[in-house]
Amino acid sequence: ARGRSGDHRRVTLMIRNIPIAYTQEMLMQEWPNDGCYDFFYLPMSCKGLTNLGYAFVNFVSESHAESFKAMWHCKKLAQIDSRKFLNVSYAFVQGLQANIAALKQKKSRSLRSRKCQPLIIMQGRVVRLEDIT
């Protein structure tokens, strides 16, 4: 499937049914980044107190994305109990640059808050969204 970026690789996943009390830090404990993803975004409510129940993760390869999907689809997270199982699917927007462009286009007020920022990793270091040109 071809994403909005025109990238033919399927490397970005959307994870739904995340309990709203989860933070980005909590999810990163459950999904440690050992170099397998370069973009992680958990949208937060306007007040930044809860997440919106879904996240986007861009993986560095299709095989990493497929492995994550196989491991987490229809599973539950450990730190907060929930009746719902995770629903992991391929996102409409595919690729690191396309995800960054889509977020920059939004210009959401909540993105100004540090805890609402996506995790972006370029050349092995964390980069803030506003520092990317």
Side-chain angles (χ1 to χ4, degrees), residues 54-68:
Y54 59 92
F56 297 95
V57 181
N58 186 74
F59 292 86
V60 297
S61 71
E62 286 181 315
S63 62
H64 284 105
E66 290 166 8
S67 294
F68 182 94

Side-chain angles (χ1 to χ4, degrees), residues 20-98:
I20 63 170
Y22 262 85
T23 64
Q24 192 170 24
E25 292 76 25
M26 291 168 74
L27 283 174
M28 289 181 67
Q29 288 173 1
E30 301 233 14
W31 306 329
N33 185 4
D34 54 2
C36 63
Y37 58 84
D38 53 13
F39 178 88
F40 178 90
Y41 178 49
L42 177 67
M44 301 296 283
S45 67
C46 290
K47 295 190 190 304
L49 301 175
T50 60
N51 75 64
L52 299 181
Y54 59 92
F56 297 95
V57 181
N58 186 74
F59 292 86
V60 297
S61 71
E62 286 181 315
S63 62
H64 284 105
E66 290 166 8
S67 294
F68 182 94
K69 188 173 190 260
M71 182 181 294
W72 286 100
H73 185 65
C74 293
K75 300 290 189 308
K76 290 187 177 187
L77 295 165
Q79 296 180 48
I80 296 174
D81 194 32
S82 174
R83 291 180 296 119
K84 295 181 178 180
F85 294 93
L86 295 177
N87 179 337
V88 182
S89 60
Y90 291 100
F92 179 68
V93 177
Q94 289 291 317
L96 175 62
Q97 295 304 323

